[in-house]
Amino acid sequence: MTSIAQVQRQAYGKANVRVTKAIRHSSEWNDIVELTCQVLLEGDFDEAYTRADNSKIVPTDTVKNTCFIVAKRSDHVQTIERYGYDLGKHFINRYDHVTHVHVHIVQERWSRIHVNGEPHPHSFYRDGSEIRQTWLTVTPNSVSIKSGLDGLLVLKTTGSSFTNFHHCENTTLQDADDRIFSTTVKAHYNIDTSAGVENIPFDRIFDGVRKTTLDVFAHDDSASVQATMYRMANLILKRFPEVKDVYYALPNTHYFTANLAPFGLPNSGEEMTIFSPITDFSGHITATIGRTGNKI
């Protein structure tokens, strides 16, 4: 039977590989890194699909084992971009028929416990649901890297307004001169790798993106979510020349004022203190903000 189909693109590998490494700087002072990895291989694998020929298939179990082996040997596991690059280069260098390695790594947030004001040498706690993550595509001659954070829940009780917006026949929203502003931050940024992966301060960039996001959120007299995220991204681009562009997704979690008038209690103006958070729907504001003159 003559086939009328062809493989146009393929990639396969292992997902949800959980890697935890205890980094033992001394017998007492340790660090901990907990990662979830996905590694997909792309290359000369068409005959596995079209001819049921597995001779070039690197088993996904081998991919899983390699995540552990590279983590054991690598000194870069705490910097997920460097660990991801080590993974990608391993597969590119080891298998001639692999042309692209796609790596996605998620890092959970463990923070050191302080006892009597001092950091404990080997005890940690899970610091919320925020994650750090990175995506890499490694080829024999190039690497692209996107990194960022997700799940950073923030809220401020004042310093946010939303007025002078467009009105039409379907508009019921009233101007808000002061409101609660709460969002769960997703921030991703593409990195210029032309200086070489080993020369890029990935941890400093990540820490700076996170700090800039929090600082602007706290201090900005927000006229809208859109205006605030633009200020965040503009500062990041100024501070980190390695960052090519910044993507933000900020769902605007609504806190509506509770109506206490039937109970003879004031809850407006300076007396507005009781709110009801709305979980059924939220605003969802996104933007990719790059450098002037660079178009997507």
Side-chain angles (χ1 to χ4, degrees):
M1 179 179 176
T2 302
S3 173
I4 62 169
Q6 66 176 4
V7 178
Q8 294 185 334
R9 188 168 184 180
Q10 58 73 38
Y12 80 96
K14 208 72 162 181
N16 298 318
V17 181
R18 302 192 64 183
V19 178
T20 298
K21 183 171 186 177
I23 301 170
R24 307 195 187 281
H25 303 287
S26 68
S27 60
E28 279 290 307
W29 190 266
N30 296 174
D31 276 312
I32 191 75
V33 181
E34 183 178 339
L35 311 175
T36 302
C37 305
Q38 175 179 280
V39 179
L40 303 180
L41 309 181
E42 187 178 341
D44 183 15
F45 298 109
D46 285 8
E47 291 188 354
Y49 296 85
T50 60
R51 297 179 180 273
D53 179 353
N54 294 334
S55 60
K56 290 186 177 180
I57 290 288
V58 180
T60 65
D61 188 66
T62 301
V63 175
K64 178 259 295 178
N65 292 342
T66 302
C67 291
F68 295 120
I69 293 166
V70 172
K72 179 66 176 178
R73 293 174 175 169
S74 176
D75 294 327
H76 304 133
V77 178
Q78 285 180 286
T79 302
I80 57 176
E81 292 88 352
R82 294 292 303 272
Y83 171 55
Y85 184 65
D86 287 347
L87 275 173
K89 291 300 288 184
H90 168 86
F91 289 103
I92 288 293
N93 293 335
R94 177 64 180 80
Y95 307 104
D96 291 339
H97 57 292
V98 173
T99 60
H100 298 72
V101 183
H102 307 283
V103 181
H104 179 214
I105 300 174
V106 174
Q107 180 177 3
E108 304 293 343
R109 188 173 176 86
W110 285 107
S111 293
R112 196 174 297 276
I113 294 173
H114 283 65
V115 179
N116 297 324
E118 297 294 329
H120 195 274
H122 53 254
S123 296
F124 306 85
Y125 68 97
R126 174 58 51 83
D127 191 3
S129 59
E130 178 191 348
I131 58 172
R132 176 179 175 177
Q133 52 188 331
T134 190
W135 296 259
L136 301 91
T137 295
V138 182
T139 75
N141 300 310
S142 67
V143 56
S144 64
I145 302 177
K146 179 176 72 174
S147 295
L149 60 89
D150 199 356
L152 175 59
L153 179 60
V154 294
L155 179 150
K156 64 180 181 180
T157 56
T158 189
S160 173
S161 63
F162 189 56
T163 62
N164 302 316
F165 45 83
H166 187 277
H167 285 256
C168 70
E169 64 276 9
N170 295 331
T171 302
T172 59
L173 185 67
Q174 301 297 306
D175 282 1
D177 294 316
D178 194 23
R179 62 177 183 170
I180 286 180
F181 182 5
S182 179
T183 187
T184 303
V185 177
K186 176 186 289 186
H188 298 158
Y189 46 91
N190 285 295
I191 297 175
D192 181 356
T193 61
S194 60
V197 171
E198 65 280 358
N199 298 316
I200 299 171
F202 294 107
D203 293 336
R204 184 172 65 84
I205 294 170
F206 175 81
D207 291 340
V209 167
R210 187 177 189 274
K211 185 178 187 302
T212 300
T213 298
L214 292 173
D215 287 352
V216 174
F217 177 82
H219 293 113
D220 183 43
D221 188 7
S222 177
S224 67
V225 179
Q226 288 89 338
T228 298
M229 70 164 56
Y230 178 82
R231 291 189 178 100
M232 292 171 176
N234 187 51
L235 270 178
I236 289 167
L237 293 172
K238 285 182 177 180
R239 291 171 176 173
F240 300 102
E242 303 90 350
V243 173
K244 297 194 291 185
D245 55 55
V246 183
Y247 168 82
Y248 273 111
L250 301 182
N252 186 15
T253 303
H254 302 301
Y255 284 72
F256 290 160
T257 307
N259 180 16
L260 300 182
F263 312 103
L265 295 172
N267 199 39
S268 61
E270 294 182 356
E271 298 286 344
M272 186 168 55
T273 59
I274 303 300
F275 302 85
S276 177
I278 304 301
T279 57
D280 293 338
F281 55 85
S282 66
H284 194 77
I285 294 87
T286 72
T288 299
I289 299 159
R291 299 183 182 278
T292 304
N294 291 341
K295 298 294 184 181
I296 296 176

